[in-house]
Amino acid sequence: MHPNPSYRSDDRALMETLLDEIGFGTVFLTTPDGPRVAHTPLVSTGDGAVQFHIARANALARHLDGATALAVINGPDAYVSPRWYSNRKTVPTWDYISLELEGRVRQMDDDGLEALLHTLIERGETRLGGDQWNAQETPADIWAKLFGAIRGFELEILAWRPTLKLHQGTTAEDRANIASGLEDSGSPALAQLMRTLAP
């Protein structure tokens, strides 16, 4: 989390929306073998936890159950050029959205993992629209083999730490110019967040 308090938020609904819309993150843990990381889809339970799955062979898999871990969801980010300021006598920076979730992890049973997989499939297929694929199209023996190669986990969130670095504290004119520059340079999502979230 960025140390500047103006980049923080306690808007839980916004954090849940970021988690749902992005739906993918990184789980970090310090293990006896050193720091380890996993990249995984994340699903909010809606009651203060996130669920995810990783390969059984992942170096984190045998250490997560009962540990305190950190999950990070990165939103849009972009380089900000001094050319977009009314006073160009400054330096470049980077604006971004990020959400850190710290909490205790427990391994899910097979029923929980199965439910998580179907939730992920439904979310992904719904977002694609059109003729949707469903899990019943996979032969049972293939599903069982792949299912056996992963583990499901639930992280009970004890701390939500968002960073919304969107040029808060600068003039409205500079923020408008920066948002336009971001949009023109291929970062429309970050530009829209700057227009709607930054004061």
Side-chain angles (χ1 to χ4, degrees):
M1 183 168 69
H2 197 287
N4 186 333
S6 67
Y7 299 153
R8 299 177 198 157
S9 171
D10 15 356
D11 186 341
R12 177 72 176 271
L14 172 62
M15 290 182 267
E16 289 278 3
T17 299
L18 289 170
L19 177 55
D20 181 58
E21 288 294 317
I22 296 166
F24 191 85
T26 311
V27 178
F28 299 89
L29 182 69
T30 300
T31 76
D33 304 320
R36 297 293 182 262
V37 63
H39 308 276
T40 181
L42 296 164
V43 173
S44 172
T45 62
D47 62 357
V50 291
Q51 297 177 338
F52 59 95
H53 71 282
I54 61 174
R56 279 184 184 269
N58 187 297
L60 275 184
R62 67 181 183 273
H63 300 292
L64 277 169
D65 192 29
T68 297
L70 182 68
V72 178
I73 298 94
N74 286 316
D77 67 274
Y79 171 83
V80 176
S81 171
R83 73 175 86 177
W84 299 329
Y85 291 78
S86 53
N87 179 358
R88 293 167 58 120
K89 296 177 182 176
T90 185
V91 296
T93 189
W94 210 272
D95 278 355
Y96 64 95
I97 303 289
S98 182
L99 176 58
E100 299 174 19
L101 306 171
E102 182 181 336
R104 285 188 298 268
V105 181
R106 70 167 184 85
Q107 185 171 325
M108 298 165 65
D109 61 20
D110 285 352
D111 289 342
L113 175 56
E114 183 88 23
L116 169 61
L117 296 177
H118 288 282
T119 298
L120 286 167
I121 291 165
E122 181 181 353
R123 181 175 77 182
E125 292 294 323
T126 300
R127 288 179 178 173
L128 290 177
D131 182 26
Q132 297 185 8
W133 177 87
N134 67 67
Q136 289 70 36
E137 295 181 51
T138 302
D141 60 326
I142 294 174
W143 183 272
K145 178 182 176 184
L146 296 174
F147 187 87
I150 61 175
R151 287 186 178 168
F153 296 93
E154 182 171 282
L155 182 147
E156 176 194 0
I157 303 167
L158 302 175
W160 298 75
R161 294 192 293 263
T163 299
L164 311 170
K165 185 175 179 291
L166 300 168
H167 268 77
Q168 297 92 324
T170 59
T171 67
E173 177 189 0
D174 276 348
R175 277 197 313 280
N177 290 340
I178 293 165
S180 294
L182 290 169
E183 195 162 52
D184 293 345
S185 63
S187 298
L190 193 62
Q192 180 60 21
L193 289 167
M194 180 174 287
R195 290 178 178 123
T196 57
L197 296 180

